[in-house]
Amino acid sequence: MIEIDREVCKGCLYCVETCPKQMIVIDEKLNAKGYYPVRFDDGDRNECTGCSMCAVICPEAAIEVYRESKK
């Protein structure tokens, strides 16, 4: 699972292009700075593998990746 800080995101779309599961999409609402940020949209698929490619490529460091630990 990932969290995107919509107020930091400038909508460069690098993460959208990088996500192998295509689970990051452009939001329809502007943020406070006037950008269309991205948002995580997995629906109920739970397909995010936590690869963190989105966080690595984000120039604004607006993405945090959380992996669930398996016990």
Side-chain angles (χ1 to χ4, degrees):
M1 177 171 167
I2 67 171
E3 287 185 11
I4 301 168
D5 185 339
R6 66 180 325 274
E7 296 305 324
V8 174
C9 177
K10 291 186 177 175
C12 69
L13 307 182
Y14 291 154
C15 58
V16 173
E17 296 171 9
T18 302
C19 181
K21 300 289 185 176
Q22 300 173 345
M23 303 183 89
I24 304 173
V25 297
I26 303 168
D27 201 344
E28 298 91 27
K29 297 180 183 178
L30 295 171
N31 63 15
K33 295 179 182 175
Y35 297 106
Y36 284 100
V38 296
R39 63 181 172 82
F40 181 61
D41 182 24
D42 72 340
D44 293 326
R45 298 178 298 181
N46 294 323
E47 292 180 15
C48 180
T49 62
C51 69
S52 72
M53 289 173 37
C54 56
V56 170
I57 202 159
C58 180
E60 303 302 321
I63 302 174
E64 291 284 332
V65 178
Y66 299 97
R67 295 183 185 148
E68 292 185 21
S69 61
K70 296 181 181 184
K71 293 183 180 180

